[in-house]
Amino acid sequence: MSTQSPEPVRFDTKIAVLLRVDLEPWQRLNVTAFLVSGLGAELPEVIGEPYEDADGVAYLPMFRQPVLVFEGTKETLTTAHGRALSRALPRAVFTSDLFTTGHDRDNRAAVRAVPTAELDLVGLAVYGPRNAVDKVLKGARMHP
């Protein structure tokens, strides 16, 4: 049996989250969790197989590939959102209004109440071909 590790997997798609640079640490975590849940719910191809430990205990499946997290200014988020829309990439948004709501119905109503161009974006998740996602995120930097 070979002890050599297999070549790393290189995905032709990318899952990325772009966070506004001025968020508090707890907000960054909360926004990221909410945003990626939308991708997993709507895009079954991003989900891998269930996990199981050596004792046979089952665990839920997770994304089949890494989620890359970026940060940028409010302007960077607005530009990236426009690029994601123009490329019709699957996306999820988190607006500043969602920090004041308490559940899904109110979250959806808060987003629905604001025209696209006026959304106060604090987070954006996007999925698609690597090169398209890279173009959407142009100007953003990897989260430290």
Side-chain angles (χ1 to χ4, degrees):
M1 183 162 151
S2 173
T3 58
Q4 236 180 4
S5 62
E7 290 295 315
V9 174
R10 184 158 166 84
F11 295 97
D12 58 352
T13 58
K14 184 178 272 189
I15 299 171
V17 173
L18 175 58
L19 301 172
R20 203 161 77 190
V21 71
D22 60 348
L23 295 180
E24 295 293 326
W26 73 267
Q27 291 173 317
R28 289 171 183 256
L29 296 169
N30 185 267
V31 170
T32 300
F34 269 91
L35 288 171
V36 297
S37 71
L39 295 178
E42 195 65 25
L43 302 163
E45 69 270 19
V46 302
I47 303 297
E49 296 296 319
Y51 286 72
E52 184 177 297
D53 66 24
D55 293 324
V57 176
Y59 302 96
L60 295 172
M62 296 185 283
F63 289 126
R64 67 182 181 93
Q65 65 190 89
V67 176
L68 302 173
V69 181
F70 296 81
E71 66 178 9
T73 63
K74 181 177 182 171
E75 294 76 20
T76 302
L77 264 135
T78 300
T79 300
H81 181 245
R83 290 175 182 154
L85 292 173
S86 72
R87 288 172 172 77
L89 293 176
R91 67 219 161 257
V93 296
F94 198 105
T95 66
S96 62
D97 297 329
L98 302 187
F99 290 126
T100 63
T101 58
H103 52 80
D104 186 54
R105 184 184 67 233
D106 287 351
N107 288 350
R108 287 181 284 110
V111 173
R112 189 179 314 109
V114 181
T116 305
E118 296 174 24
L119 292 171
D120 185 16
L121 298 169
V122 298
L124 171 72
V126 64
Y127 170 75
R130 271 194 358 244
N131 62 344
V133 173
D134 288 343
K135 288 176 183 173
V136 165
L137 297 172
K138 186 176 180 185
R141 63 184 177 272
M142 287 294 291
H143 190 281

